[in-house]
Amino acid sequence: MKLSFRWYGPTDSIPLSYISQIPTMHGVVSAVYDVPPGNVWSRESIASLKEQANAHGLAFECVESVPVHEDIKLGKPTREQYLEAYCENIRRLGEAGVKCVCYNFMPVFDWLRSDLKHPAPDGSNSLIYRDEQVLAMDPRSGNLSLPGWDESYTKDGLNRLLDEYAGMTEEDLFANLKVFLDAVIPVCEEADVRLAIHPDDPPWGIFGLPRIITCEENLDRLLKLNPSVYNGLTLCTGSLGASRHNDVVRLTEKYVSQGRIHFVHARNVRLTGERDFGETAHPTCCGSLDLLGVMKALAKADFDGYLRPDHGRMIWGETGKPGYGLYDRALGATYLSGLWEALTGKSPERFTNT
């Protein structure tokens, strides 16, 4: 297992020098963030990320993410140019030594929460989701502010995009996903870059938009769309675990045994309702998910992919990007590393810059 840490590039408030001090840290998960979706990343930008990481004793082998252009998800005729750009990005990342690319196929909205700074009795704060509050939101009003997407769309642009998705079914979205995979997976095989889809977060439809990477049945269907081992999963425990219907430990056991888990986002959540949850500290005792059971399943299979501590709380007065502070994620990293060593008798794999 290769322990990794999300890093948002040179503008990240958490410097590489801090990340490199976290014990057993193998590398960073990053991307070229200043290029719009559907465009080709320059080799210079990719090389710069790698050089910066390597200079701090960290690998740059996992990318999160290469965004999928909405025209591909919509199945528009213009998707061909964006598919070719995606393939070229895969080739260039492979040339630079990247081994895994995380992506998602969620229409319009990335991960969604109702509160980014929900206070806890101990003084920390974290992200929560309350379905009643989300259902009361109107994405067409122009007053909705959500992480990730709201910097990308104007009010008019968002409304046009929502109009384009009107009437799209899950079947339509699966068909468009198959076109994407059939175009990209052969390039992944040639470049030796594993593709790892992220589950929808949360794992149910929002604002009338279809969502398809939500449950075991749909994960099975995804993997059958293209049987190549390069068509794999980012197992996000918090995304899948937000639904009481998903047994995250069993899903880990199933898909790691098939060699289809390439990346793991380890996050704990506490379920407070049918579609209500809050993010917690990583240890099993802190939430509703069995992170120890997940790590046991990975250890039993001798998982050799990438794992990172996912969203953390804001603790000890820290402020910053919601879910992506330093302190709680560093605590999570050492917790997960300790579980791995106890379960396998060895520390996570360390990076050697050869």
Side-chain angles (χ1 to χ4, degrees), residues 5-207:
F5 206 82
R6 185 77 181 266
W7 178 61
Y8 284 92
T11 62
D12 197 319
S13 61
I14 301 170
L16 289 169
S17 59
Y18 287 10
I19 297 172
S20 66
Q21 294 174 36
I22 302 171
T24 73
M25 190 57 63
H26 175 84
V28 292
V29 179
S30 194
V32 176
Y33 294 106
D34 59 354
V35 175
N39 289 19
V40 176
W41 296 356
S42 72
R43 288 184 172 88
E44 291 76 15
S45 294
I46 296 169
S48 177
L49 290 171
K50 180 177 181 178
E51 290 165 3
Q52 291 176 74
N54 289 176
H56 288 85
L58 297 165
F60 175 56
E61 299 170 353
C62 190
V63 163
E64 185 180 342
S65 61
V66 180
V68 179
H69 195 278
E70 296 295 333
D71 286 12
I72 297 175
K73 302 173 195 174
L74 285 162
K76 297 173 70 172
T78 48
R79 68 184 171 189
E80 296 303 323
Q81 70 188 75
Y82 298 118
L83 287 169
E84 179 48 45
Y86 205 98
C87 290
E88 181 59 24
N89 280 328
I90 295 293
R91 294 186 190 99
R92 294 186 179 194
L93 290 169
E95 291 171 3
V98 169
K99 297 299 181 184
C100 179
V101 167
C102 174
Y103 73 105
N104 74 71
F105 218 73
M106 289 180 264
V108 187
F109 300 98
D110 207 330
W111 55 277
L112 174 65
R113 299 292 183 270
S114 56
D115 188 349
L116 305 183
K117 297 180 180 180
H118 185 73
D122 64 5
S124 65
N125 68 77
S126 64
L127 295 86
I128 67 166
Y129 182 99
R130 297 291 182 265
D131 198 49
E132 183 178 353
Q133 295 177 20
V134 173
L135 291 175
M137 296 176 181
D138 179 7
R140 292 182 176 273
S141 68
N143 299 319
L144 189 63
S145 180
L146 300 171
W149 69 271
D150 54 316
E151 297 176 356
S152 303
Y153 304 113
T154 64
K155 176 183 176 182
D156 290 341
L158 176 60
N159 283 330
R160 284 194 298 270
L161 190 55
L162 291 172
D163 287 341
E164 289 188 272
Y165 274 104
M168 175 171 279
T169 66
E170 290 187 2
E171 290 298 319
D172 297 330
L173 196 56
F174 262 118
N176 294 336
L177 177 54
K178 178 171 174 55
V179 171
F180 170 78
L181 291 172
D182 287 348
V184 175
I185 290 298
V187 179
C188 290
E189 292 173 336
E190 295 171 6
D192 193 24
V193 175
R194 282 166 167 72
L195 206 59
I197 196 167
H198 191 286
D200 298 340
D201 185 7
W204 49 74
I206 57 170
F207 303 135

Side-chain angles (χ1 to χ4, degrees), residues 269-291:
V269 297
R270 182 170 297 283
L271 305 181
T272 56
E274 182 61 27
R275 288 190 172 183
D276 293 344
F277 62 89
E279 299 185 357
T280 71
H282 291 82
T284 293
C285 63
C286 296
S288 300
L289 305 184
D290 183 2
L291 267 291

Side-chain angles (χ1 to χ4, degrees), residues 334-345:
T334 54
Y335 167 74
L336 296 164
S337 177
L339 289 182
W340 184 261
E341 184 171 348
L343 292 165
T344 65

Side-chain angles (χ1 to χ4, degrees), residues 239-260:
S239 296
L240 291 170
S243 170
R244 296 181 184 274
H245 305 289
N246 290 327
D247 183 337
V248 176
V249 173
R250 193 179 64 79
L251 294 178
T252 305
E253 293 171 342
K254 176 178 178 176
Y255 296 117
V256 75
S257 69
Q258 297 175 6
R260 303 300 281 273

